[in-house]
Amino acid sequence: NLKAALEKDSEQNLTLDDDRKIKVQYSGFSYSYRTLRTFSDFSFDLIASDPFWYNLVISNDTRTPTSGVGYTVNNPGNAPTRCKVTLTNNSGVSVADNIRLKNNTTGEEFQYRGTLANTKALIVNNRVDDEDVSVLNDGVDDIKNFEGDFISLNSGDNTIVYTGPANVQVKIEFYQS
């Protein structure tokens, strides 16, 4: 049963007796019986593609920034971390080919070339709560209209610059490293 639990197709969260997790996938499993199939010794290896421990609780920074003006988002952890960015259009009109977000600290930047309808959300997920990167416009895959980088945060202060129409809310979610 233990081997079956380990043999998942994707990475799993490994947690200890605190508030941190690491994503791991098992590699190899061996066992031997000690006495008449009553007791056994076993061992297995775990591989972490991202070797950092992250907080179990997601952090977020939500604001409606001024276009072209940088603001600070702080990652209080001690290592870089991936971000999930949600841009909600509250401008009163549809926005077409006019949304850009840049982390000046890392140099990562993306532009969305599609149309974001009023009151709808664009989600750019850098594997924060999913196994793969994704770009969703109102819940529908729209990676074809995305160009650039999937944003991450360095440890400490990061300067984020949103460029686009007024009244677009920017929410950045991440796990502290």
Side-chain angles (χ1 to χ4, degrees):
N1 287 339
L2 177 61
K3 184 179 178 193
L6 291 170
E7 288 182 331
K8 301 286 182 181
D9 291 336
S10 60
E11 293 179 323
Q12 303 295 314
N13 289 333
L14 172 66
T15 58
L16 299 176
D17 291 333
D18 61 9
D19 58 350
R20 308 299 261 176
K21 69 178 178 180
I22 189 170
K23 290 283 210 178
V24 297
Q25 192 165 13
Y26 105 103
S27 172
F29 186 89
S30 65
Y31 64 94
S32 62
Y33 290 106
R34 220 181 249 195
T35 57
L36 302 174
R37 301 182 61 96
T38 306
F39 294 102
S40 66
D41 294 319
F42 63 88
S43 68
F44 58 91
D45 295 321
L46 298 174
I47 296 173
S49 61
D50 184 1
F52 299 108
W53 290 88
Y54 293 95
N55 198 321
L56 291 173
V57 178
I58 198 162
S59 299
N60 77 72
D61 181 282
T62 304
R63 54 183 90 194
T64 305
T66 302
S67 180
V69 177
Y71 64 93
T72 300
V73 175
N74 182 273
N75 170 14
N78 57 10
T81 186
R82 297 180 190 105
C83 295
K84 177 180 176 182
V85 178
T86 304
L87 299 145
T88 305
N89 181 8
N90 296 317
S91 68
V93 296
S94 291
V95 177
D97 195 16
N98 191 19
I99 295 176
R100 183 181 300 252
L101 191 76
K102 182 175 185 180
N103 182 341
N104 278 346
T105 306
T106 64
E108 298 167 333
E109 178 178 15
F110 71 75
Q111 181 164 1
Y112 181 67
R113 299 234 179 241
T115 300
L116 184 60
N118 187 43
T119 71
K120 301 302 180 187
L122 173 70
I123 299 172
V124 179
N125 192 346
N126 187 5
R127 296 186 303 152
V128 170
D129 55 5
D130 204 354
E131 293 179 27
D132 203 0
V133 295
S134 62
V135 177
L136 302 175
N137 182 342
D138 193 26
V140 177
D141 178 35
D142 201 17
I143 200 160
K144 69 181 182 287
N145 287 310
F146 174 86
E147 64 183 43
D149 305 305
F150 286 88
I151 303 294
S152 63
L153 296 176
N154 282 345
S155 60
D157 288 343
N158 292 260
T159 302
I160 305 298
V161 178
Y162 160 79
T163 306
N167 296 319
V168 171
Q169 181 186 67
V170 178
K171 179 179 181 181
I172 298 177
E173 298 173 277
F174 59 97
Y175 288 103
Q176 295 176 18
S177 53

